[in-house]
Each structure stands twice: as C-alpha cells, then as structure tokens.
Amino acid sequence: MKIPTKVLVEGALSIALSIALSYFKLFTMPQGGSVSLKLLPLIVFAFRHGPRYGVLVCVTAGALRLLLGGYVVHPLQALLDYPVASGLIGIAGFFPHKKWLGVICSCFASFCAAVLSGVVFFASYAPGGSSVWLYSIGYNASYALPEILILVAAVYIIMPRLEKFK
C-alpha cells in the first residue's frame, strides 16, 4: 500500500496533535475516561482522507497512546480501550458530507468498545446488585456525551476553514 506523502505527513501531524491534546483535559473520571479534544484531529483527518486512511491513523494514535502510558489490566482490554476504540473514530470518513453524523457514529462506535471493555474487565466497580451493562453505559456516557457535543461544535468551526487547503 503506497500512501501519498501529503496523507502520510497530515496523518503524522494528526496523531501528534491528538497525543498533545490528550494531556489537556476538561475533566477526568475516577476510573479512567476524560473529556478533551484529543479526537478532533483524528476526526478531521478521517473527513479529509476517508475511512481507509482514517482508521489506519486512528489505530496508530490509539496504539501510541497505549504505549505512552495506557492503563492495562488485560491484553484484550488494552486492545479494546486503545487501538480498537481509537480506530473506530476513523469511520467518520464514511460521512464527509454529514459531519455531525460522522462524529456521532464514530464516537458511538468507540463508546461501544469502551462499554464492552467496562463490562468485561471493570465489572468489579459496579455497585452491588446493579446491572454491569447499565453501570458501564452510564459511566462511559458521563464523559462520552459531553465530548461528542464539543466535537460536533468544533468540527463545524474548523472544517470550513480547512476545506480550502484540500
């Protein structure tokens, strides 16, 4: 697979910006998860270059985030929470003309990976007698929903300015 130089450079910059933005959090949950703009460069990249390159860049960003200090309790959890959850953000590239839908669908897919990881690997945090699924959905939604709203707004602010640089 020969990747055009422009796509390769923009992908590397998107990954670097995503990693840098992951350190600036609006708020963080006690057992992990936070609201930040770390997904914005990845979503913008996916919109500009499509799902094929988008997923590749997003998986790479997730793997790098894992290597730079991810929280790991099991190898499968590490895959679900980092490369898989991040890689699913790349599906935003399927919706270049309905950006709000691309943000929502890609973030929802990533949210599903986080919920599955929570159910399988973090069930012990659920209060006694409560549904592990409901706990995981609620916990992950507490930071995913605000992040989605912020991302939709940010994409609509940034994308028109980037369209002239195609």
Side-chain angles (χ1 to χ4, degrees):
M1 174 163 106
K2 184 164 171 29
I3 301 173
T5 304
K6 179 181 175 182
V7 174
L8 191 62
V9 170
E10 196 172 324
L13 289 172
S14 297
I15 292 168
L17 188 54
S18 175
I19 297 297
L21 287 172
S22 73
Y23 292 104
F24 298 98
K25 299 172 177 148
L26 299 174
F27 70 85
T28 304
M29 297 298 290
Q31 284 95 29
S34 62
V35 174
S36 70
L37 292 174
K38 69 182 175 277
L39 299 180
L40 183 60
L42 303 176
I43 290 172
V44 167
F45 179 86
F47 283 143
R48 290 174 53 87
H49 298 289
R52 181 172 139 199
Y53 293 130
V55 169
L56 179 65
V57 163
C58 291
V59 166
T60 305
L64 188 56
R65 205 172 294 122
L66 172 63
L67 293 173
L68 291 173
Y71 180 74
V72 178
V73 296
H74 188 275
L76 186 56
Q77 169 267 327
L79 285 173
L80 277 172
D81 282 345
Y82 295 97
V84 172
S86 292
L88 290 168
I89 295 300
I91 68 173
F94 283 114
F95 307 94
H97 302 295
K98 292 194 183 226
K99 292 182 178 31
W100 64 271
L101 186 60
V103 172
I104 290 171
C105 287
S106 62
C107 288
F108 179 74
S110 180
F111 168 78
C112 289
V115 167
L116 182 60
S117 173
V119 166
V120 175
F121 298 104
F122 300 104
S124 62
Y125 291 108
S130 66
S131 166
V132 176
W133 283 96
L134 288 178
Y135 175 76
S136 185
I137 290 169
Y139 184 87
N140 287 291
S142 68
Y143 65 87
L145 290 176
E147 191 166 56
I148 290 169
L149 295 174
I150 291 167
L151 287 171
V152 168
V155 162
Y156 275 97
I157 291 169
I158 290 173
M159 286 305 293
R161 290 166 175 80
L162 293 178
E163 293 297 327
K164 56 185 161 193
F165 296 111
K166 264 287 185 177

